[in-house]
Amino acid sequence: MDPLLFAFALAFCTATLALDNGLMRTPPMGWLAWERFRCDIDCKHDPSNCISERLFRDMADRLAEDGWRELGYIYINIDDCWSSMQRDKQGRLQADPDRFPSGIPELARYIHDRGLKLGIYGDLGTHTCGGYPGTTLDTVAVDAQTFADWGVDMLKLDGCYSNDTVQQKGYPLMSKALNATGRPIGYSCSWPAYQGGLPPNVNYTQLGEICNLWRNYDDIEDSWDSVLGIVDWFSTNQDLLQPAAGPGQWNDPDMLIIGNFGLSLEQSRSQMALWAIMAAPLFMSNDLRTLSNEARAILQNKVLIGINQDPLGIQGNRLLKEKSGVEVFWRPLSESASTLVFFSRRTDMPYHYKNTLWKLGYLPGNYKVYDVFTGRTMPELTHQTYFTASINPSGVVMWLLSPTVHRVQTQEGANPSLLHNHVEEIARPILL
Ligand code: GLA
């Protein structure tokens, strides 16, 4: 075959196979109701916290007015318990009329007017996990169209009250149905979480073709144990999970719980750092109206967000589990930069971790190092320099590294774009 023709044919095949909505080339960011507000439908006694249009408007106001939107947190996502217990006369889902008196299209307008996007929740089964009407195979098309007509920008499709056969058919069917509406709608699939999260039950190649992100594992809860369980599972299985991620297709270890009740500040920094390593979607589930300044500073750390949003979209992994209880995580970034996270599982006192970049697999050369949480540039390191990082119990030290001159490259003629001299320059490629 003529090579040009072959290239066209290949491009055509890829275009028809892949979820072709062009969305979420970097991990999506925003706010999601579930972990913090659950299925609180008691608007009579708890009007400001119940699942209602007021809650989503409040959060949209906060995203728009408190600097979140500019950092990339643009989705406001409804989770379970939003709908009425009955479909309407035409068989369409409808919002609970008491809690969403203005209706979802009006809420979508409110959110769009503030430069934000609206996400909604459905379930491929007879009922949602909370017992509300589900999307059965015969209602996939009508539900996709209803969401598009309402101006919805993202759908999380859960998998309670379902079975394997329905999921095998339904998840790809919804992908096609969303595409067929012509409205770009990001698609979050809970499918793998219902299949045990791992191959051979889970086909990550297929998921990358039909979904923009997917929940692989258990629900996050408001506790450090829950965060650790998730980190352990993703790290243990990283060889199977890591290759599945890339622009437009992300593993989702679930929501950020920073700003709630279960994490200390150290643990909050750890969740944020490890979610950045994992190229995870950043959906906060917290109360943005009452967030502490400390939690806000972690969630709004520009360099950290830039690392999470790196355009190469390569998921990082755990490099080492030391006997001391320190674990080292690494993620490659664009423009030859990279990030290292030193994470301590110790429970005694700050631990002085000593190593060299060479032993961590870095190429010979000199490296600029920027400490992501202190905001300080460290003295330049060579690959052989012994460094010491002081890591607090259940905390992290997170570095952004940028090579200055690689010896090999010097010999062959150094690339001037690698000659960074100031922290602004180190951080530049990843700053928003
Ligand atoms: C499942 C999901 C959660 C949440 C609830 C809602 O448990 O995994 O993220 O959506 O259902 O009922």
Side-chain angles (χ1 to χ4, degrees), residues 34 79-81 121 128-130 156 158 160 190 194 215 217 219 254-255:
W34 182 255
D79 207 274
D80 205 349
C81 310
Y121 168 98
T128 72
C129 300
K156 168 174 166 182
D158 213 338
C160 273
S190 299
Y194 288 88
R215 283 281 311 283
Y217 187 62
D219 290 2
D254 214 1
M255 293 156 269

Side-chain angles (χ1 to χ4, degrees), residues 232-427:
D232 280 339
W233 188 85
F234 276 82
S235 306
T236 306
N237 299 304
Q238 62 189 13
D239 293 349
L240 298 167
L241 303 173
Q242 190 271 347
Q249 47 186 88
W250 309 103
N251 292 302
D252 179 7
D254 214 1
M255 293 156 269
L256 295 169
I257 55 165
I258 298 161
N260 294 335
F261 312 100
L263 302 188
S264 69
L265 274 184
E266 292 300 329
Q267 294 162 350
S268 303
R269 290 191 190 101
S270 299
Q271 191 192 18
M272 194 71 183
L274 294 169
W275 263 234
I277 289 285
M278 290 189 282
L282 299 180
F283 285 104
M284 305 179 278
S285 190
N286 52 14
D287 191 341
L288 296 172
R289 300 166 298 196
T290 57
L291 207 63
S292 70
N293 288 337
E294 290 90 346
R296 187 186 310 272
I298 296 169
L299 291 161
Q300 295 197 342
N301 184 312
K302 263 194 168 183
V303 175
L304 207 157
I305 291 171
I307 291 170
N308 173 272
Q309 296 286 299
D310 184 79
L312 281 184
I314 298 174
Q315 185 173 328
N317 56 21
R318 180 166 66 190
L319 289 180
L320 274 180
K321 262 174 101 164
E322 304 275 17
K323 281 202 196 78
S324 60
V326 169
E327 298 182 2
V328 183
F329 292 78
W330 174 79
R331 180 177 169 192
L333 304 171
S334 49
E335 305 208 10
S336 307
S338 61
T339 188
L340 278 173
V341 170
F342 305 102
F343 170 45
S344 171
R345 288 178 176 260
R346 296 177 69 95
T347 52
D348 51 357
M349 60 188 284
Y351 184 79
H352 298 285
Y353 178 71
K354 206 172 163 196
N355 210 339
T356 67
L357 293 178
W358 175 245
K359 288 191 186 161
L360 293 174
Y362 276 70
L363 289 172
N366 292 3
Y367 293 85
K368 295 272 187 195
V369 180
Y370 174 79
D371 185 314
V372 174
F373 286 111
T374 65
R376 280 198 289 269
T377 306
M378 324 238 313
E380 197 169 295
L381 292 181
T382 76
H383 61 289
Q384 285 168 316
T385 320
Y386 270 92
F387 61 78
T388 305
S390 176
I391 322 161
N392 294 339
S394 69
V396 286
V397 167
M398 183 174 195
W399 288 354
L400 169 62
L401 298 102
S402 219
T404 52
V405 187
H406 280 312
R407 213 168 279 158
V408 185
Q409 284 162 333
T410 318
Q411 282 160 8
E412 291 171 0
N415 175 354
S417 72
L418 294 177
L419 297 169
H420 299 299
N421 284 319
H422 305 288
V423 60
E424 296 78 36
E425 290 207 49
I426 302 173

